């Protein structure tokens, strides 16, 4: 497969999530991110020196008929960028997957590698930026260049998705215009991010569809280690969103 040169041109023509995921992993649209993700894979962290890094864009993960979508920020340099799967191989993933497993939405409490057998139940995980950025800070231009992938993902999930949980303020700012472009009526002024905030989006075409949008602090170490985001806080948001999405939880 040749590398797509412009997500805005390529993404709208993709008709299945599996096709979208495969195409995302070939993207080279942002030169700074391409250089960084590949450099990280060459230099490697000492703990992973013997491993072969993925060092490509990381696609969304989870079933194509998910009713709950989780939106993060971007792959971690030595997490998703190493393993090739969202929230896999780092402490943020440890926290998130353990919470999902505790609710019965993930088949196991850990996310270590692409072939570890993890299955998500009714849940899909994605991000507005698919490449690991330096200092975990993509630029506005990189976020906007990557947006067509998220827009198309939202469009393809639209028949089944009923709730979206956005992890962190960056993801929130990136998700709102993507949701709008995917056919949801985002109110103005736009909803402000906060942990536990919830708003309902209606289909812009007047077709009667609704989408529950939740905000949650990101599962980054700076939040989980300091207690800004506790396991109970995370579980509370995920449980409420799962209930809204029609998913049974423990």
């Amino acid at each position: 497969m040749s590398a797509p040169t412009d997500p805005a041109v390529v993404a709208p023509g993709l008709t299945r999530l599996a096709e979208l995921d495969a195409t995302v992993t070939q993207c080279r649209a942002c030169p700074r991110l391409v250089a960084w993700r590949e450099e990280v894979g060459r230099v490697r962290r000492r703990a992973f020196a013997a491993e072969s890094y993925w060092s490509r864009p990381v696609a969304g993960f989870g079933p194509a008929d998910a009713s709950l979508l989780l939106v993060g920020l971007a792959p971690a340099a030595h997490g998703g960028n190493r393993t090739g799967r969202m929230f896999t191989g780092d402490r943020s993933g440890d926290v998130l997957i353990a919470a999902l497993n505790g609710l019965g939405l993930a088949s196991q409490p850990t996310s270590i590698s692409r072939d570890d057998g993890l299955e998500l139940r009714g849940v899909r995980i994605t991000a507005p930026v698919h490449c690991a950025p330096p200092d975990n800070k993509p630029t506005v231009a990189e976020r906007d260049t990557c947006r067509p992938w998220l827009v198309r993902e939202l469009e393809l999930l639209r028949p089944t998705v009923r709730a979206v949980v956005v992890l962190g303020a960056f993801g929130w700012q990136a998700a709102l215009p993507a949701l709008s472009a995917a056919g949801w009526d985002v109110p103005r002024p736009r909803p402000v991010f906060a942990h536990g905030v919830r708003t309902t989006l209606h289909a812009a075409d007047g077709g009667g569809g609704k989408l529950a949008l939740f905000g949650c602090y990101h599962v980054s170490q700076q939040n989980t280690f300091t207690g800004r985001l506790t396991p109970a806080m995370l579980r509370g948001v995920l449980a409420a969103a799962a209930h809204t999405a029609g998913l049974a939880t423990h």
Side-chain angles (χ1 to χ4, degrees):
M1 181 186 297
S2 61
T5 57
D6 185 352
V9 173
V10 176
L14 304 174
T15 59
R16 296 179 299 110
L17 270 174
E19 183 183 22
L20 174 69
D21 291 344
T23 306
V24 163
T25 66
Q26 304 298 316
C27 187
R28 300 182 66 86
C30 298
R32 187 183 80 115
L33 297 187
V34 171
W36 172 253
R37 76 191 192 210
E38 294 179 353
E39 176 68 11
V40 169
R42 283 191 295 270
V43 176
R44 306 176 190 174
R45 180 172 284 174
R46 181 177 298 177
F48 309 121
E51 296 189 24
S52 177
Y53 274 53
W54 175 258
S55 295
R56 289 190 273 155
V58 181
F61 168 58
D65 60 351
S67 56
L68 173 58
L69 179 67
L70 308 184
V71 180
L73 191 163
H78 302 282
N81 186 59
R82 172 174 61 90
T83 63
R85 193 172 71 191
M86 292 283 180
F87 287 105
T88 298
D90 59 22
R91 292 185 177 179
S92 295
D94 292 343
V95 172
L96 181 60
I97 300 304
L100 291 172
N101 176 254
L103 291 167
L105 302 176
S107 62
Q108 60 193 44
T110 58
S111 180
I112 299 170
S113 67
R114 291 194 310 280
D115 59 358
D116 63 6
L118 173 65
E119 295 181 1
L120 301 181
R121 297 165 178 161
V123 179
R124 183 173 169 88
I125 300 174
T126 193
V129 176
H130 287 279
C131 293
D135 299 319
N136 291 321
K137 294 179 180 178
T139 67
V140 171
E142 289 162 351
R143 177 199 69 190
D144 292 349
T145 297
C146 207
R147 181 178 297 148
W149 301 128
L150 179 57
V151 172
R152 191 59 182 147
E153 189 168 12
L154 289 164
E155 290 173 338
L156 293 173
L157 285 169
R158 190 163 171 180
T160 60
V161 71
R162 297 295 176 263
V164 175
V165 174
V166 182
L167 302 170
F170 180 95
W172 186 266
Q173 294 168 359
L176 291 178
L179 286 161
S180 178
W184 298 103
D185 187 10
V186 177
R188 289 190 175 275
R190 287 178 174 173
V192 177
F193 174 79
H195 180 80
V197 70
R198 174 180 176 174
T199 189
T200 299
L201 306 182
H202 297 271
D205 61 8
K210 293 192 298 183
L211 184 70
L213 179 64
F214 295 79
C216 179
Y217 289 145
H218 197 279
V219 289
S220 64
Q221 291 184 51
Q222 67 185 40
N223 286 337
T224 58
F225 280 16
T226 61
R228 187 180 191 219
L229 178 66
T230 65
M233 291 167 64
L234 177 60
R235 180 185 174 94
V237 174
L238 294 177
H243 176 76
T244 303
L247 297 174
T249 58
H250 295 165

